Amino acid sequence: MATPDQKSPNVLLQNLCCRILGRSEADVAQQFQFAVRVIGGNFAPTVERDEFLVAEKIKKDVFIRQRREADAALFSELHRKLHSQGVLKNAWSVLYLLLNLSEDPRKQQASKVSGYASLFAQPLPRDAHSTPYYHARPQTLPLHYQDRSTQAAPSAGSLGSSGISSISMCGLSGPTPAPQPLLPGQSHQGPGVGDGLRQQLGSRLAWTISTGQPSSQTPTSKGIPNSLSRNTSRSRRDGDTSGIMEITEAALVRDLLYVFQGIDGKHIKMSSTEDGYKVEGKANLNKSVRDTAIRLSELGWLHNKIRKYTDQRSLDRSFGLVGQSFCAALHQELTEYYRLLSVLHSQLQLEDDQGVNVGLESGLTLRRLLVWTYDPKIRLKTLAALVDYCQGRKGGELASSVHAYTKTGDPYMRSLAQHILSLVSHPVLSFLYRWIYDGELEDTYHEFFVASDPTVKADRLWHDKYTLRTSMIPSFITTDQSRKVLLIGKSINFLHQVCHDQTPTTKMIAVAKSSESPRDAADLFTDLENAFQGKIDAAYFETSKYLLDVLNKKYSLLDHMQAMRRYLLLGQGDFIRHLMDLLKPELVRPATTLYQHNLTGILETAVRATNAQFDSPEILRRLDVRLLEVSPGDTGWDVFSLDYHVDGPIATVFTRECMGHYLRVFNFLWRAKRMEYVLTDIRKGHMCNARLLRSMPEFSGVLHQCHILASEMVHFIHQMQYYITFEVLECSWDELWSRVRRAQDLDHIIAAHEAFLDTLTSRCLLDSSSRVLLNQLRAVFDQIIELQNTQDAIYRAALEELQRRLQFEEKKKQRESEGQWGVTATEEEEENRRIREFQESIPKMCSQLRILTHFYQGIVQQFLVSLTASPDESLQFLSFRLDFNEHYKAREPRLRVSLGSRGRRSSHT
C-alpha cells in the first residue's frame, strides 16, 4: 500500500509531470511549479456544467465510435452507481477531465516522446479564462500552499511565491485572444459540451515550458502576464523606484464603478485635452488591461454627455413640454443605469465585508464588467446619439428627431427609441387631442405644429389666425394629417367665434376622446395608418360636415354665391337690360353730376320691374350701387358699378380680395354689355332713319357705309359676348358648382371659388399677361362709341336737312293753295344754296366714316394677331370666329402665317 505522502496531490502532480516529459524530478522542477500555478489558478472552461451531457459525450466519442458497445454499457452502469452513492462532490469535473484526457493529441505524432515537445509548445486554449458565462470555476485542488488572501513573499525560490498568489490576472480580465488551432492540422471549434477543450491537460500545464524561462520571470506572451493580482499589489521584484506602481484588479474595478457615474477615480481620470477617461501613465498595467479599462470607462463619458444635456435643459423653461418629456425619458434611462451600478456596488461591498475568498466564484472582474455593461453601453450610446441629434431642437421637431431613430434595423435600439418616443410625443398628442376635440390651443412655448396669431380679428380668423408650423410637424404625422388637424380645430373656433354657434363639440364629433397616457401613445405609434388615421378622419369629416351645414342652412352660402352670378356677373338678363334702359339718361351725364341715392332708386325700380323681385329679401338687401373713383372726362358709364355687401361667416368665402375681383370682372362685363347696348341703338337708328331719308338719295352712300361698319362691329361684339358668356362664365360656373357640391370642408369651397375667379380674371383678359389684349379690346370699344357719336351727328345733320326741305315744300304748297307763287326767286336760290352746302358736306361724312373704319379694322387686325399668339386655345378659337371669312387674314401676312400654323397644330392635337 502506498504511503500517505505518495498519495498527496503534490507528489501525484510531480509524478504526472515526470511521466509526461520523460525526465527526472530535478529536470521538471520548473514545469512542476508552473503546473501548480495552473491548477491553483482561476481557470475554467466556458461550458455548461451538465454531468449527463459529458457522460453521453464520453460514451459516444470513446466507446461507440470505436464499436465498443459493451464498454459503453459498462461505463453507463458505473456512472449510475457513482452518481447514486454521492462519493464525489465534483463528478462533472472528473468526467470532464477524463473526456479531455481521452482526446490524446499524441496519437497524431510518430513517437510519443517526440510529440510532447510540440504539445507543450501550444498555448493555453481560448476558453481557459476567469469569467465563465454560465457557472463558476470548479473547486481548486486542495493544495496546501499559502492562502490567496495573504501577500506573497518576493523570493523566487519559495514554492508559495511561485504558486497561486503569483498567478497573473490579465488573462482573466483582458480581451480574449483570437482562437488558435489547438494542434497542427486541427481547426478551432466553438465551445460546447464535451468539445470545449481540444487539448490535453498537458497542453494547459506546458504552455511556456519550451520557452526555457525561469519561474521567477513574468510571462509576456499571449498567456497569463504577471503585472497584477486579483487581490494583491506588490512592488516590482527588481527593486525599480521609478514611480511605476502596481494596481490590483479590485482597485481598477472600484475606480471604474466611480467612473461609470462620471466621478474621477484614483487611477482613472477625465482628460480634458482628449475628451475622455485615461488611466494614469505611471500605472504598471498590461496593454490589454489598460485597453479594457479604457473601453469600460467609455460608459462614464457617455453618462457625462447625457447628464450634462439633461442638467442644462431641465432648467430651461423655454425648452417646452416636449423637451422636458425628453429629459424625463433620459432621466428614466439613467435611473435604470444607476440601478445596475448600485447592484455592482453592493457586490463589491459584499466582497469587502465577507472577504476575498467568498467572492472568488462570483466576484467582480474586468471581464465580468464588460459582460454586464454590454447592454447598458448600447443604450447609453443610443441616448448619446439622440442627444447629439436633438441639439437645438424643440417641440414637434424634437419628436421627429427621436422618431428617426425608430427606423433602425436593430430591434434593441428600435425598442429603446420607441419607448423614448412614446414619452416625448405625449405632450404633442395632448396638444393634438385638445385641439381637435375642444378647439383649444395652449402652446406657451410654440411646440405644436399649429400656430395662432392673437392679433388677427374674427373676420380673418379662417385665413390668417391659424397656420401650420412646417418645422414642428412630427415626421410620424403626414402632411395630409396635419392639414386635417389644422382644419378640425379651425372649424371649431370658426363656429364658436364667427358663426356664434355654441354647440358642444361632443355633438359635432361622435368620437370619444382618446386617452393621453404614454402607454396609449406607444400603442398608437404601432398603428399610425389605422388607429390614428381613423381618429383624425372621423373628427375631420364630422366637424367639416357640421360647419358646411351651418353655412348652407343658417347663412345661405350657396344662395349668396348664386346671387353673385346673377347680379355681379350679369347672369340675370332681364334685370340687366332694364337697368341699362333706366340708367341711360343718368349715365350719359358727366360722372361728377351723379348722386348715389338717385342711382339706388333706379336700381330698386329695376328690381321691382323684373324677376329679381322674387329673390330672397336678404339677397336684395345686400345689392347696392357703387360709384368708382372719378377721373377727368368720365361719364356715368365709366364709374357706375353694382355692389354686393357681405359680412359675417360668408365674408370668409367672399373676402375683400374676392370682391375686388368681382368688381373688375363686373366692369369688364358691364362695358361689353354696354357695347352691345350701343350697337343695338345704332341698328335701331338705321332701321328708323332709312325710311325717313329715302327722299335724300344723295345720302344713301353715307347710310351704306354706316351700315357696313356697324355690321362688322355687331359681329365682333356678338362673338365676344358668346366667348365671355358661354366659354368663360358658364363653363367656369359649372365647374365651380360641381366642386362646391363635392367639397368636404370649407377650404375646398374657398379654393374652388378662388380658382373660379382666377379663371374669370385670366380668360377675361384682366390679368397682367393679357394687358396688351385688354388695351386693344378697349380700343375697339372706343371705336364703337366713336361710331355712335359720328352716326348721331350725321343723322342729326341729315334729319335737320330733311326737316328744312319738308318745311320748304310745306310752305310752297301752302302758298300755292292760297293762289300765290310757291316761292320767290330769292327763296329758291337760298334753298338751292343750302342744299348744295349739305351735299358738299356728304363727302366729308363719308371720309370721316372711312377713317373710322380704317382705325377700327387696324385695331381688330392687331387684336387678332395677339389672339393667335395667345397660349390659351379658347382665345385662338375666338380669333377664328372673329375672322370667319378670312378678311383680315388676306390683309395681314403675319395673321395669315399665325393662323395657318395654329390651325395645323390644332389639327395634329
Side-chain angles (χ1 to χ4, degrees), residues 668 671 766 773-783:
F668 174 78
R671 181 169 295 191
L766 299 176
L773 284 171
L774 181 61
N775 292 335
Q776 293 170 351
L777 184 59
R778 286 177 177 175
V780 173
F781 291 167
D782 292 340
Q783 294 304 313

Side-chain angles (χ1 to χ4, degrees), residues 293-311:
I294 293 176
R295 284 172 55 193
L296 287 168
S297 65
E298 186 180 352
L299 271 80
W301 183 87
L302 295 171
H303 167 271
N304 291 347
K305 186 180 187 65
I306 300 169
R307 187 59 182 268
K308 180 180 179 181
Y309 179 85
T310 57
D311 291 344

Side-chain angles (χ1 to χ4, degrees), residues 865-883:
V865 172
S866 299
L867 285 180
T868 56
S870 173
D872 191 349
E873 290 185 355
S874 61
L875 293 178
Q876 297 175 23
F877 294 148
L878 175 62
S879 68
F880 302 155
R881 292 197 300 271
L882 290 176
D883 192 30

Side-chain angles (χ1 to χ4, degrees), residues 230 346-356 358-359 362-364:
R230 175 67 181 87
S346 299
Q347 178 71 16
L348 188 63
Q349 187 65 34
L350 182 64
E351 293 181 16
D352 292 342
D353 293 343
Q354 298 183 2
V356 178
V358 178
S362 59
L364 286 179

Side-chain angles (χ1 to χ4, degrees), residues 75-334:
F75 174 80
S76 298
E77 181 64 20
L78 292 175
H79 175 254
R80 185 186 64 78
K81 292 181 178 180
L82 181 66
H83 185 72
S84 60
Q85 292 177 2
V87 177
L88 294 178
K89 294 182 179 179
N90 296 311
W92 175 87
S93 301
V94 174
L95 291 175
Y96 193 71
L97 176 62
L98 294 176
L99 175 63
N100 283 274
L101 289 176
S102 67
E103 299 174 354
D104 188 0
R106 290 175 296 177
K107 63 186 177 181
Q108 299 182 9
Q109 306 295 333
S111 173
K112 293 184 179 180
V113 179
S114 61
Y116 293 141
S118 60
L119 176 65
F120 286 125
Q122 299 294 327
L124 283 175
R126 181 176 183 267
D127 49 8
H129 59 78
S130 64
T131 311
Y133 289 95
Y134 303 105
H135 296 280
R137 63 176 181 82
Q139 296 294 332
T140 57
L141 296 176
L143 302 179
H144 302 287
Y145 295 129
Q146 185 178 358
D147 190 78
R148 290 172 59 90
S149 61
T150 60
Q151 189 170 357
S155 172
S158 172
L159 181 62
S161 63
S162 60
I164 299 174
S165 62
S166 62
I167 295 177
S168 170
M169 296 300 296
C170 179
L172 311 182
S173 58
T176 304
Q180 301 291 335
L182 304 180
L183 288 173
Q186 182 179 4
S187 62
H188 173 77
Q189 298 180 359
V193 179
D195 57 355
L197 296 175
R198 290 295 186 185
Q199 290 180 321
Q200 284 187 336
L201 181 62
S203 64
R204 295 189 178 204
L205 302 177
W207 169 51
T208 55
I209 293 178
S210 60
T211 60
Q213 294 178 351
S215 61
S216 60
Q217 292 180 353
T218 302
T220 58
S221 64
K222 293 183 180 178
I224 310 175
N226 195 22
S227 60
L228 68 154
S229 173
R230 175 67 181 87
N231 302 319
T232 61
S233 176
R234 56 187 175 83
S235 305
R236 293 176 61 91
R237 296 178 181 176
D238 53 3
D240 186 10
T241 59
S242 59
I244 296 178
M245 60 180 179
E246 303 237 359
I247 304 174
T248 63
E249 185 175 13
L252 273 181
V253 170
R254 188 179 301 277
D255 267 17
L256 286 171
L257 291 183
Y258 283 108
V259 169
F260 290 167
Q261 305 172 66
I263 304 172
D264 286 352
K266 184 177 180 181
H267 307 290
I268 304 176
K269 300 182 182 297
M270 184 69 182
S271 174
S272 58
T273 57
E274 301 183 14
D275 191 23
Y277 283 95
K278 294 295 179 183
V279 182
E280 287 185 343
K282 61 182 181 179
N284 182 25
L285 294 177
N286 181 273
K287 184 178 185 300
S288 62
V289 176
R290 186 182 295 270
D291 292 343
T292 303
I294 293 176
R295 284 172 55 193
L296 287 168
S297 65
E298 186 180 352
L299 271 80
W301 183 87
L302 295 171
H303 167 271
N304 291 347
K305 186 180 187 65
I306 300 169
R307 187 59 182 268
K308 180 180 179 181
Y309 179 85
T310 57
D311 291 344
Q312 290 176 349
R313 288 299 188 175
S314 298
L315 301 177
D316 186 7
R317 296 181 61 86
S318 63
F319 197 33
L321 297 179
V322 177
Q324 297 301 328
S325 298
F326 182 54
C327 291
L330 295 178
H331 276 299
Q332 182 177 345
E333 293 298 325
L334 288 179

Side-chain angles (χ1 to χ4, degrees), residues 97 149 181 205 233 243 305 310 322 345 368 384 427 433 470 504 509 523 634 657 664 695 737 830 896:
L97 176 62
S149 61
L205 302 177
S233 176
K305 186 180 187 65
T310 57
V322 177
H345 273 289
R368 282 199 175 101
Y433 288 135
T470 307
I509 308 174
D523 295 339
D634 284 347
E657 293 80 8
R664 293 180 62 195
S695 59
W737 197 248
E830 183 179 351
R896 185 162 55 247

